[in-house]
């Protein structure tokens, strides 16, 4: 069995989180997803602050990052990550409902590795997430510092 790799999902919509986790669960991958409900929580997780201070020092294999988030928005999280030598190599997929060209351009300008518009139907969502998961956790070789997830670890 291949080693499990951690995915950080940064999403403030409870409905979207539920659907995304259900899509991952359909593919038997839900145990690999860590959820942050806003940008500040994502930064706390990445920098191992507050309730995340005890988490392992390795980085997630990929971050699925929404744009419109409370407290700290997705572009600010992306900017912080890509300006930090310890996080800049972590792949970031902007996973958003925004079709605005300005958001797309700003995301890539700040260093996003991909920009995916959230599909509307569950079947399309499941297919898109499976494709992202396969590429970023199986096909792509993650940067140094991205360790496999041990079962039961979050």
């Amino acid at each position: 069995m291949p080693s499990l790799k951690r995915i950080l999902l940064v999403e403030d919509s409870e409905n979207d989180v539920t659907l995304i986790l259900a899509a991952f669960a359909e593919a038997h991958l839900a145990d690999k997803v860590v959820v942050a409900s806003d940008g500040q929580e994502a930064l706390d997780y990445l920098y191992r602050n507050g309730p995340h201070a005890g988490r392992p020092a390795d980085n997630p294999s990929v971050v699925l990052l929404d744009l419109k988030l409370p407290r700290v928005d997705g572009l600010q999280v992306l900017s912080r990550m890509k300006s930090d030598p310890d996080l800049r190599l972590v792949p970031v997929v902007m996973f958003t409902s925004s079709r605005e060209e300005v958001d797309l351009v700003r995301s890539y300008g700040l260093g996003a590795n991909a920009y995916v518009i959230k599909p509307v139907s569950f079947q399309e969502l499941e297919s898109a997430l499976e494709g992202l998961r396969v590429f970023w956790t199986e096909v792509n070789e993650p940067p140094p510092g991205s360790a496999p997830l041990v079962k039961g670890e979050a």
Side-chain angles (χ1 to χ4, degrees):
M1 177 179 181
S3 61
L4 299 173
K5 296 178 183 173
R6 187 177 305 112
I7 296 169
L8 175 61
L9 170 63
V10 188
E11 174 61 63
D12 64 318
S13 166
E14 288 184 35
N15 288 338
D16 285 354
V17 168
T18 299
L19 288 173
I20 291 166
L21 292 179
F24 277 125
E26 284 288 317
H28 308 289
L29 302 164
D31 59 335
K32 300 193 293 186
V33 181
V34 175
V35 178
S37 60
D38 62 52
Q40 184 58 55
E41 186 179 351
L43 291 172
D44 287 345
Y45 178 83
L46 291 165
Y47 286 102
R48 298 172 46 216
N49 293 326
H52 304 288
R55 81 161 180 85
D58 60 305
N59 292 318
S61 293
V62 64
V63 175
L64 298 180
L65 181 61
D66 192 14
L67 273 176
K68 312 292 190 236
L69 296 166
R71 299 202 292 165
V72 178
D73 72 28
L75 291 174
Q76 291 171 308
V77 172
L78 177 63
S79 178
R80 288 270 310 270
M81 288 181 68
K82 296 305 181 177
S83 65
D84 184 314
D86 294 328
L87 295 173
R88 81 174 59 159
L89 296 179
V90 176
V92 178
V93 175
M94 303 309 289
F95 196 65
T96 180
S97 54
S98 175
R99 295 180 179 277
E100 298 294 322
E101 186 174 333
V102 67
D103 290 334
L104 176 82
V105 170
R106 287 190 68 209
S107 294
Y108 278 120
L110 289 170
N113 299 89
Y115 191 98
V116 177
I117 296 171
K118 293 176 192 173
V120 177
S121 78
F122 181 76
Q123 222 172 12
E124 290 170 336
L125 176 67
E126 187 177 38
S127 177
L129 288 172
E130 176 61 8
L132 287 171
R133 187 211 52 88
V134 166
F135 179 78
W136 290 109
T137 66
E138 292 180 21
V139 175
N140 183 59
E141 191 64 35
S146 300
L149 175 69
V150 177
K151 281 231 183 246
E153 173 184 70

